[in-house]
């Protein structure tokens, strides 16, 4: 079995950033005579229920699924190099009507995502014995945690108004941005084929967990988040470590999936970062859930937040070579969960 490394990671948002270095690495793949496999994260315009093309991935967990597939195929020697890429111009590539219509395809126009996640949060509170008032306090503590990672990002006061019983505008993702990004991966035995400006970053482990279904008919199962526990467990098994333990000791970075507070709360519980909900406020005072404010403040469009998270985690590990990093992905109303552990050089 081969060890797998990320050798290139780059993103570009609203005209800022460059993919030039990654394009140069793609040229080196060709020059070395290596076969490049392309995995694509679908944009919003692909639709939610349309047939999915080969090597295409969809949902907020799609980038983690693509990474898991690439990791397995590279480890087994089936692939030589893999490019995971995605681009979406949510800000400039759609009319407002087209954008809204495509987003409504997930559960239909009568069940928008904020309402679906509010129902999910209600089920979560019921299962955990948590009052709605206490949930809101945790919600506010989560956003305060994101802001500490993005102190210069200004938020208009209107976004603090509640849009549902349990969520404010700031508690949801802000996808209205244009973003493109790519990851390039290869095997340990092929690293000598490349002239790298940054050290390769190991893919230590990737875990994926699936619920039996998604949407209103599966709220109780989704709110239990057992499949998120499974995703973290599988990643830990592959990486031969307990990520939460390493993180809580200050030896790791984390990028949680922060759209709707119920999701990072579930990660903290099911990922064993805390033993119970009562421990979360103190934990949030000591640790950071995101690198740059998460999906709420850092933004990324539709299916791409976890790809951006993987790219930015790779870049952060270049600057912190003694640390490891964890990235979480969440698909749909949570029916797909993914967790990746990165870090370490050859």
């Amino acid at each position: 079995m081969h060890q797998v490394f990320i050798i290139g990671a780059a993103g570009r948002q609203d005209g800022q950033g460059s993919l030039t270095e990654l394009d140069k690495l793609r040229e080196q793949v060709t020059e070395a005579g290596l076969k490049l496999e392309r995995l694509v994260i679908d944009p919003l315009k692909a639709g939610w229920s349309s047939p999915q093309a080969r090597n295409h991935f969809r949902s907020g967990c799609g980038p983690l699924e693509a990474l898991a597939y690439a990791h397995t195929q590279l480890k087994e020697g089936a692939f030589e190099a893999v490019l995971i890429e995605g681009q979406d111009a949510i800000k400039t590539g759609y009319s407002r009507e087209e954008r809204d219509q495509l987003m409504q395809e997930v559960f239909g126009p009568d069940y928008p995502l904020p309402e679906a996640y509010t129902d999910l949060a209600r089920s979560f509170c019921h299962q955990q014995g948590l009052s709605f008032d206490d949930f809101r306090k945790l919600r506010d503590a989560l956003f305060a945690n994101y802001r500490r990672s993005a102190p210069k990002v200004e938020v208009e006061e209107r976004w603090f108004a509640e849009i549902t019983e349990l969520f404010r505008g700031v508690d949801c993702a802000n996808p209205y941005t244009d973003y493109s990004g790519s990851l390039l991966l290869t095997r340990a035995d092929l690293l000598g084929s490349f002239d790298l400006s940054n050290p390769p970053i190991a893919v230590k482990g990737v875990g994926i967990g699936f619920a039996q279904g998604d949407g209103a008919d599966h709220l109780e199962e989704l709110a239990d988040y057992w499949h998120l526990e499974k995703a973290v467990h599988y990643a830990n098994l592959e990486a031969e470590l307990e990520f939460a333990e390493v993180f809580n000791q200050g030896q790791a970075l984390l990028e949680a999936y922060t759209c709707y507070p119920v999701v990072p709360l579930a990660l903290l519980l099911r990922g064993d970062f805390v033993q119970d909900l009562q421990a979360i406020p103190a934990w949030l005072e000591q640790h950071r859930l995101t690198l740059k404010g998460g999906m709420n403040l850092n933004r990324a469009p539709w299916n791409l937040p976890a790809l951006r998270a993987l790219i930015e985690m790779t870049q952060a590990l270049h600057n912190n070579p003694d640390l490891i990093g964890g990235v979480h992905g969440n698909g749909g109303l949570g029916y797909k969960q993914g967790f990746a552990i990165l870090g370490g050089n050859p």
Side-chain angles (χ1 to χ4, degrees):
M1 299 289 275
H2 300 277
Q3 194 171 8
V4 176
F5 289 90
I6 298 172
I7 59 171
R12 182 172 174 80
Q13 179 184 11
D14 295 335
Q16 301 296 313
S18 173
L19 303 177
T20 302
E21 287 300 316
L22 197 133
D23 290 338
K24 291 179 180 177
L25 285 173
R26 290 181 63 175
E27 292 175 6
Q28 291 184 40
V29 172
T30 302
E31 291 167 0
L34 304 179
K35 183 176 182 291
L36 180 66
E37 198 80 14
R38 292 177 64 246
L39 308 181
V40 178
I41 312 304
D42 280 342
L44 174 65
K45 66 182 179 182
W48 185 254
S49 303
S50 62
Q52 207 162 299
R54 178 181 174 273
N55 283 356
H56 282 240
F57 299 82
R58 195 173 296 169
S59 92
C61 192
L64 273 298
E65 292 182 89
L67 183 66
Y69 177 60
H71 189 219
T72 298
Q73 297 300 315
L74 286 164
K75 276 199 308 182
E76 294 177 352
F79 291 167
E80 294 177 315
V82 177
L83 181 74
I84 302 175
E85 60 182 343
Q87 58 181 338
D88 209 346
I90 294 286
K91 186 176 180 180
T92 64
Y94 306 80
S95 68
R96 180 172 181 174
E97 293 74 22
E98 182 184 14
R99 203 166 51 212
D100 291 346
Q101 181 179 357
L102 286 164
M103 289 182 177
Q104 288 172 2
E105 285 185 10
V106 183
F107 300 121
D110 297 327
Y111 199 40
L113 281 168
E115 291 297 337
Y117 266 98
T118 299
D119 286 345
L120 179 65
R122 291 190 185 105
S123 295
F124 178 82
C125 288
H126 175 73
Q127 291 182 17
Q128 297 295 330
L130 185 68
S131 72
F132 289 172
D133 282 342
D134 286 338
F135 179 88
R136 294 186 191 97
K137 291 175 183 176
L138 290 174
R139 170 200 74 184
D140 295 353
L142 285 169
F143 186 70
N145 185 280
Y146 311 154
R147 293 195 89 167
R148 289 201 295 276
S149 297
K152 295 182 180 180
V153 176
E154 296 183 2
V155 182
E156 294 181 34
E157 193 62 32
R158 64 191 177 100
W159 294 110
F160 288 93
E162 293 198 345
I163 58 173
T164 75
E165 182 182 12
L166 297 177
F167 300 135
R168 307 161 300 170
V170 293
D171 299 313
C172 310
N174 183 350
Y176 299 111
T177 186
D178 296 346
Y179 183 78
S180 59
S182 301
L183 286 171
L184 185 62
L185 302 94
T186 193
R187 308 186 315 232
D189 61 312
L190 297 173
L191 287 175
S193 304
F194 299 91
D195 179 19
L196 302 177
S197 57
N198 288 300
I201 299 297
V203 180
K204 288 182 171 293
V206 190
I208 304 292
F210 299 92
Q212 297 182 50
D214 203 27
D217 293 338
H218 299 272
L219 288 172
E220 290 301 309
E221 179 193 12
L222 295 172
D224 187 65
Y225 282 99
W226 62 270
H227 50 304
L228 172 53
E229 181 177 310
K230 181 163 48 170
V232 176
H233 175 66
Y234 287 156
N236 283 336
L237 280 179
E238 280 194 341
E240 299 182 340
L241 53 80
E242 293 295 324
F243 182 83
E245 183 178 320
V246 177
F247 182 85
N248 286 347
Q249 292 172 353
Q251 298 171 2
L253 302 171
L254 178 62
E255 187 67 27
Y257 194 96
T258 62
C259 185
Y260 300 105
V262 64
V263 182
L265 290 177
L267 175 65
L268 293 178
L269 281 174
R270 286 303 200 175
D272 281 335
F273 294 89
V274 297
Q275 295 305 305
D276 52 47
L277 288 168
Q278 289 69 37
I280 288 179
W283 188 96
L284 290 173
E285 289 292 331
Q286 298 175 36
H287 306 284
R288 294 194 179 183
L289 275 165
T290 70
L291 296 173
K292 299 180 180 180
M295 298 164 65
N296 316 61
L297 298 174
N298 198 25
R299 299 189 295 164
W302 202 234
N303 294 326
L304 299 182
L307 178 62
R308 177 171 188 166
L310 289 166
I311 291 166
E312 293 187 346
M313 183 60 73
T314 299
Q315 294 168 343
L317 293 173
H318 288 151
N319 298 322
N320 298 275
D322 295 331
L323 302 181
I324 62 172
V327 174
H328 175 213
N330 170 92
L333 197 55
Y335 76 115
K336 290 181 180 179
Q337 298 290 331
F339 196 78
I341 302 173
L342 311 178
N345 301 323

